[in-house]
Amino acid sequence: MYTKKIVIALLLFTTTFSFSQGKDLPKDFLSNSFHKERRAALRAKMPKNSVAVFFANATRNRANDVDYVYHQDPNFYYLTGYKEQNSVLLVFSEDQQSDKGSFNELFYIQRRDARAEMWNGYRLGVEGVKKMGFKDVFVGEEFANISIDFSKFDKIIFTDFKNDVRDDKRNKADLYDLIKTFKTKISYQTSTSKMPASDKNIKVATNIDVRMLSGIMATLREVKTKEELVLLKKAVRISAMGQVEIMKAMHPGMSETEVQGIHEFVYKKYGAEYEGYPSIVGAGNNGCILHYVENNKLSLNNDLVLMDLGAEYRGYTADVTRTIPANGKFSKEQKLIYDLVYEAQEAGIAQYVIGGKISTPGQTARRIVNEGLVKLGIIKTVNDRHMYWAHGTSHHIGLDVHDPGNYKTFEENMVLTMEPGIYIPDGSDCDPKWWGIGVRIEDDILITKNGPVNLSADAPRKSDEIEKMMRKKSIFSHYTLPDLDKK
Ligand code: GLY
Ligand code: MN
Ligand code: MN
């Protein structure tokens, strides 16, 4: 009786809850037809008689019974639009026959589960996923019964497994189980040479290829479609607006944490869901740590503040850096370093042209920076090996902040960053007047027939334009909160 009541309650809950799905939710995600067309594009690039297999991203634990906010694997999302966990997609190069007809893809997804949905939110289930344009959709539990003979394919292509998937013992069809089933079905071994002698008679499949698929996906993803560009441009413009608002709001008494908060508040106000990567806000010497994410210095003082931040909008992430003086005016040394990075960036951006080598802008920028550092007496010759700029300049952005690509030549509708920098940490082998200056300027550049288009241009880059923007009134100057310590 008691159990019956619970079942009825859960059923009622599911029905009511399902009823409210889809109301007041954003509608500008990638369309079902985009994902379908991308699966067709993948099929066209696959070798004959092959199957490509994609797994959803793993759920990652934060602490105890709390997980990190789930983020779908970008390749998986690109091909499906499915944002849930514990699922696997198989794409076949040619139609496969079964007694129920032909199919060219199989999709195993999370089943609906009233109890799980009460705790963790709505699931689409088989019916919901069919509405997304998939014909052959099954619950994950059925994957164990898949009747595909994998040995008949010339190639089984997938990305090799990382050893970071936990087994949720209560779920018989979680990612761990799906991978385990798949490994058994294809006779997978990590490396035959590492197998114990006793296992050497196990049949090892020779049709497995764990490299090819990332190359194919990079080729698909490196050039953006019109639909992707709408979302990517929006992510970049939102991020640039975050930079503009902080330019107006910043003062030396602010903390790095508060600066980060203002950026992220602006993103969310524009409707961006997440940060595309951990926000970097480093004042002074902290700006010299390339991936500084503590952002916990209590006071910016009169330092330069390096802010590398990107909003994620409907899956697409920007990657924009501005470096600005906390007090609104560059000191002589700060300006000399800043203007040198700016000059290098400008020269590099000009080389974001169709047919040009992707490596060229970085080489140009490095030459300019090295010549500048010699003139300023920071290094002795342009050939000096130094650590004042240790990273590259140009990576694709998209569903990943470091989006996959082949990194050969620029093509129309690619979007890449241009991000030179100079970092002179305290204690460097140069005049101490330069110490604690870290500068990076990073913009997101669209390649077009008419030349490079700077998508993040709304945020000023020239030193005098930054100073001008910093003199403007800020909406945040009136945003004060009660003092918690005041009695
Ligand atoms: N925000 C990471 C990068 O600039 O590549
Ligand atoms: Mn970058
Ligand atoms: Mn960046």
Side-chain angles (χ1 to χ4, degrees):
M1 188 63 184
Y2 180 68
T3 329
K4 210 168 165 191
K5 260 192 195 157
I6 289 183
V7 171
I8 292 170
L10 284 174
L11 272 175
L12 270 174
F13 176 76
T14 316
T15 329
T16 327
F17 194 51
S18 310
F19 189 64
S20 66
Q21 280 307 305
K23 261 181 86 187
D24 296 330
L25 294 177
K27 302 238 180 321
D28 56 345
F29 286 99
L30 293 169
S31 66
N32 292 335
S33 58
F34 167 87
H35 300 295
K36 194 169 182 145
E37 187 280 322
R38 293 288 83 194
R39 296 197 297 280
L42 162 66
R43 228 170 254 122
K45 290 199 180 303
M46 287 166 61
K48 280 205 177 64
N49 193 31
S50 65
V51 53
V53 184
F54 298 87
F55 288 88
N57 214 354
T59 308
R60 317 239 182 237
N61 183 258
R62 186 171 189 270
N64 193 14
D65 57 350
V66 175
D67 293 329
Y68 283 104
V69 174
Y70 185 68
H71 194 278
Q72 189 53 279
D73 172 80
N75 279 341
F76 195 89
Y77 183 72
Y78 185 79
L79 295 170
T80 65
Y82 187 61
K83 296 202 275 288
E84 297 178 29
Q85 290 117 307
N86 304 320
S87 39
V88 52
L89 171 74
L90 290 83
V91 177
F92 301 93
S93 54
E94 290 89 19
D95 282 357
Q96 308 293 302
Q97 303 305 327
S98 80
D99 43 1
K100 291 194 194 87
S102 72
F103 58 91
N104 61 8
E105 52 198 21
L106 297 174
F107 198 8
Y108 293 84
I109 55 109
Q110 288 201 120
R111 66 180 168 85
R112 295 211 60 190
D113 178 332
R115 196 180 291 263
E117 289 180 45
M118 181 175 71
W119 285 96
N120 297 318
Y122 178 75
R123 295 180 178 185
L124 287 171
V126 170
E127 290 316 309
V129 174
K130 280 188 175 166
K131 286 192 197 126
M132 294 169 71
F134 290 89
K135 180 168 72 70
D136 298 278
V137 188
F138 309 91
V139 294
E141 283 78 358
E142 289 188 46
F143 189 53
N145 308 322
I146 190 169
S147 58
I148 302 283
D149 171 11
F150 285 95
S151 69
K152 74 176 186 191
F153 295 108
D154 293 334
K155 288 255 176 258
I156 305 168
I157 56 177
F158 57 98
T159 311
D160 211 354
F161 301 106
K162 298 193 176 76
N163 195 15
D164 61 352
V165 182
R166 288 184 176 193
D167 186 10
D168 176 359
K169 298 270 194 253
R170 294 161 307 175
N171 184 349
K172 294 278 171 285
D174 68 348
L175 186 66
Y176 185 92
D177 299 303
L178 297 175
I179 291 174
K180 199 167 143 199
T181 297
F182 178 63
K183 284 181 173 176
T184 311
K185 300 267 177 200
I186 66 167
S187 306
Y188 171 91
Q189 290 291 336
T190 313
S191 159
T192 42
S193 59
K194 289 197 194 121
M195 280 163 64
S198 57
D199 285 355
K200 284 271 154 68
N201 55 356
I202 289 178
K203 185 180 145 280
V204 175
T206 52
N207 56 356
I208 292 174
D209 187 318
V210 293
R211 295 214 171 78
M212 181 187 287
L213 189 55
S214 38
I216 296 176
M217 292 309 296
T219 305
L220 291 178
R221 285 175 55 189
E222 68 182 355
V223 174
K224 270 60 187 178
T225 68
K226 256 196 187 145
E227 217 179 307
E228 289 181 283
L229 283 175
V230 171
L231 301 179
L232 188 49
K233 282 181 183 174
K234 186 137 183 189
V236 176
R237 289 199 69 195
I238 289 172
S239 307
M241 292 318 283
Q243 298 284 1
V244 167
E245 289 308 318
I246 197 66
M247 282 180 194
K248 295 188 241 167
M250 187 178 282
H251 56 77
M254 244 182 203
S255 67
E256 291 174 348
T257 312
E258 188 177 354
V259 173
Q260 176 182 353
I262 289 177
H263 277 275
E264 295 176 7
F265 173 78
V266 172
Y267 300 172
K268 306 237 169 183
K269 184 90 177 152
Y270 280 113
E273 298 95 327
Y274 307 113
E275 292 71 61
Y277 53 93
S279 298
I280 297 170
V281 178
N285 205 47
N286 291 341
C288 299
I289 303 168
L290 300 179
H291 285 171
Y292 172 76
V293 292
E294 281 84 0
N295 308 342
N296 60 0
K297 192 166 190 279
L298 293 175
S299 179
L300 305 173
N301 305 323
N302 292 320
D303 283 333
L304 273 185
V305 187
L306 186 155
M307 306 173 295
D308 183 343
L309 302 109
E312 182 179 309
Y313 186 83
R314 311 295 180 254
Y316 284 82
T317 185
D319 188 6
V320 180
T321 308
R322 290 292 181 267
T323 308
I324 66 176
N327 60 15
K329 182 121 188 85
F330 288 91
S331 73
K332 186 168 161 239
E333 283 76 23
Q334 289 170 348
K335 184 166 159 57
L336 283 167
I337 299 294
Y338 185 90
D339 288 348
L340 178 54
V341 177
Y342 176 81
E343 185 193 341
Q345 197 205 23
E346 276 288 278
I349 291 174
Q351 294 177 322
Y352 277 49
V353 289
I354 294 174
K357 280 171 80 174
I358 292 180
S359 54
T360 305
Q363 290 161 358
T364 302
R366 205 163 288 278
R367 180 178 47 73
I368 291 171
V369 163
N370 283 345
E371 286 170 2
L373 289 176
V374 171
K375 272 196 206 134
L376 296 175
I378 295 172
I379 56 174
K380 292 196 178 60
T381 76
V382 287
N383 298 321
D384 269 12
R385 286 173 68 86
H386 64 81
M387 290 302 287
Y388 297 127
W389 174 17
H391 60 78
T393 51
S394 317
H395 60 82
H396 292 274
I397 56 168
L399 290 171
D400 272 302
V401 64
H402 297 154
D403 225 33
N406 298 304
Y407 289 95
K408 296 209 168 78
T409 53
F410 290 110
E411 290 175 41
E412 189 180 13
N413 293 336
M414 287 180 168
V415 181
L416 295 100
T417 61
M418 177 60 198
E419 50 175 312
I422 298 175
Y423 312 87
I424 312 177
D426 291 347
S428 293
D429 185 18
C430 61
D431 190 324
K433 69 180 180 182
W434 305 111
W435 290 3
I437 295 180
V439 174
R440 172 160 70 255
I441 315 174
E442 177 172 27
D443 284 81
D444 301 336
I445 314 297
L446 171 67
I447 311 300
T448 79
K449 284 202 184 85
N450 302 319
V453 175
N454 187 344
L455 302 180
S456 37
D458 287 341
R461 284 185 299 137
K462 266 186 146 163
S463 47
D464 56 344
E465 283 167 13
I466 289 173
E467 288 176 348
K468 196 167 153 207
M469 182 61 81
M470 292 186 82
R471 287 195 291 272
K472 291 202 174 177
K473 278 212 157 45
S474 165
I475 47 165
F476 292 100
S477 54
H478 300 291
Y479 184 63
T480 50
L481 295 170
D483 183 347
L484 296 181
D485 296 326
K486 212 162 144 188
K487 292 274 174 347

